[in-house]
Amino acid sequence: VLAGAASITAVCQPPNCNSAAYNQIGLFGNGKPVISNSVNVTTPGINGTVLYMASTQSQYMVARDFTQPVQGAPFLLPYTPNSMLLSNDGSTIYLGSSTALMVVNAVNTLAITRTDIGSPGTALALSPDGTKIVISDPVRQVTTLENTSGSVISTYGGVGTRAEFSPDSQSV
């Protein structure tokens, strides 16, 4: 869903390939690198103009719209965040904290839509369809899969450090 572009080039560097005798070609006599033609990859999607910034050392969050000449005013969060996830459509921001999960509406102006004190921890992953979130709580030593509306789907013992959903949002 996010736009981007990249160029991929393969390089086979001596002495692992195309090596030469010491008294022949190449720097230090070890041959010439073999370089492929570049493969260009373009991913269609929507680029945004707004950068959302928060710190693990502050309760403030800022939305910086690069189409505007000035930065927006800082937005005070109820708790200091430890993680941040943005929905694919850019409308909702999920901020984890040691106290609660904070849900922020990011359409037009920043506004708290929900604070869930039953879901403290680090927000690890948001499903591509925006319906599920993975939260790891190191204090209670559990990792939870929840609906983004706040209801728990399942809980697992242990602390997670990363999570990723499948493209169809069915597996994590």
Side-chain angles (χ1 to χ4, degrees), residues 109-165:
T109 60
L110 297 177
I112 293 284
T113 57
R114 183 169 57 89
T115 303
D116 188 353
I117 59 171
S119 299
T122 304
L124 297 179
L126 182 64
S127 62
D129 65 5
T131 62
K132 296 182 250 343
I133 188 168
V134 178
I135 302 167
S136 181
D137 182 358
V139 175
R140 293 184 298 160
Q141 299 281 307
V142 295
T143 299
T144 307
L145 176 63
E146 298 183 6
N147 287 321
T148 51
S149 60
S151 60
V152 174
I153 297 170
S154 56
T155 302
Y156 306 93
V159 177
T161 56
R162 357 181 142 65
E164 185 175 347
F165 279 88

Side-chain angles (χ1 to χ4, degrees), residues 55-81:
S55 170
T56 58
Q57 305 299 311
S58 169
Q59 283 185 236
Y60 285 96
M61 178 178 182
V62 175
R64 175 66 168 103
D65 186 343
F66 288 97
T67 63
Q68 301 300 315
V70 295
Q71 178 175 310
F75 176 71
L76 180 62
L77 297 167
Y79 307 104
T80 303

Side-chain angles (χ1 to χ4, degrees), residues 14-15 20-31:
Y22 182 77
N23 61 356
Q24 292 182 3
I25 306 168
L27 182 64
F28 304 117
N30 61 0

Side-chain angles (χ1 to χ4, degrees), residues 37-90:
N37 293 333
S38 293
V39 175
N40 296 319
V41 180
T42 303
T43 305
I46 300 168
N47 281 330
T49 60
V50 181
L51 173 65
Y52 299 99
M53 298 174 281
S55 170
T56 58
Q57 305 299 311
S58 169
Q59 283 185 236
Y60 285 96
M61 178 178 182
V62 175
R64 175 66 168 103
D65 186 343
F66 288 97
T67 63
Q68 301 300 315
V70 295
Q71 178 175 310
F75 176 71
L76 180 62
L77 297 167
Y79 307 104
T80 303
N82 60 23
S83 54
M84 178 168 52
L85 300 171
L86 179 65
S87 63
N88 279 339
D89 64 3

